[in-house]
Amino acid sequence: MQAIYLLPFYIKWHYTEAFRDLWRNWKSFLVFILHLFSIKLLMKTWISPFGRLDEGYKKTFNLEDFLETLVVNTMMRLVGFILRTFVIISGIIVFAFAFAFGISALILWALAPLVVVSLFIQGLSLLFA
């Protein structure tokens, strides 16, 4: 009988403090994913050379040296673009899964006490049937 007195306190905690903590943890996890994949920074430096590997152009003009430097710099930018694109897409996919999981967790958390009560009532009805 003592447990019945705790029920209002549990319901208050479940739908206020615990729900708020779940919401805060979910938002924190989403921010963590954005920082982990550095999506904002990768978008700013999308066309930058990979690993800052670029060659400087020589002071004197030589067509062969110029084209060699141009090809190397273009290749490094292309490699950087492809790798950053892959990481950005991966980050967006992980973010989408975490977002969907968070919404599911919030809905399940809100419905959990109702499920417990309905299972208890079904159990009693089977017991006395």
Side-chain angles (χ1 to χ4, degrees):
M1 220 47 205
Q2 294 279 346
I4 291 177
Y5 294 119
L6 294 177
L7 190 61
F9 296 110
Y10 170 76
I11 290 174
K12 180 183 177 200
W13 170 83
H14 185 87
Y15 286 109
T16 58
E17 190 176 332
F19 202 78
R20 200 172 337 146
D21 287 344
L22 182 63
W23 176 263
R24 240 183 278 135
N25 289 339
W26 178 46
K27 283 187 350 185
S28 178
F29 191 64
L30 291 177
V31 169
F32 165 74
I33 289 172
L34 290 177
H35 286 284
L36 178 68
F37 285 95
S38 304
I39 293 176
K40 187 176 178 182
L41 178 65
L42 289 177
M43 298 251 258
K44 286 181 182 177
T45 62
W46 210 342
I47 312 280
S48 299
F50 173 70
R52 295 189 211 163
L53 295 174
D54 60 342
E55 291 187 22
Y57 290 96
K58 302 204 171 40
K59 302 275 186 206
T60 59
F61 183 75
N62 182 353
L63 185 60
E64 183 178 342
D65 291 339
F66 175 78
L67 292 176
E68 177 183 331
T69 304
L70 181 67
V71 167
V72 168
N73 288 344
T74 303
M75 290 300 292
M76 288 299 108
R77 286 185 187 275
L78 186 63
V79 169
F81 175 76
I82 291 170
L83 288 176
R84 284 182 184 91
T85 302
F86 177 73
V87 173
I88 288 170
I89 290 171
S90 300
I92 290 172
I93 290 171
V94 169
F95 184 85
F97 276 118
F99 188 82
F101 177 76
I103 289 174
S104 303
L106 288 171
I107 291 170
L108 289 174
W109 186 260
L111 296 177
L114 301 175
V115 170
V116 170
V117 169
S118 68
L119 289 175
F120 182 73
I121 292 171
Q122 280 182 347
L124 286 178
S125 69
L126 289 175
L127 183 68
F128 295 118

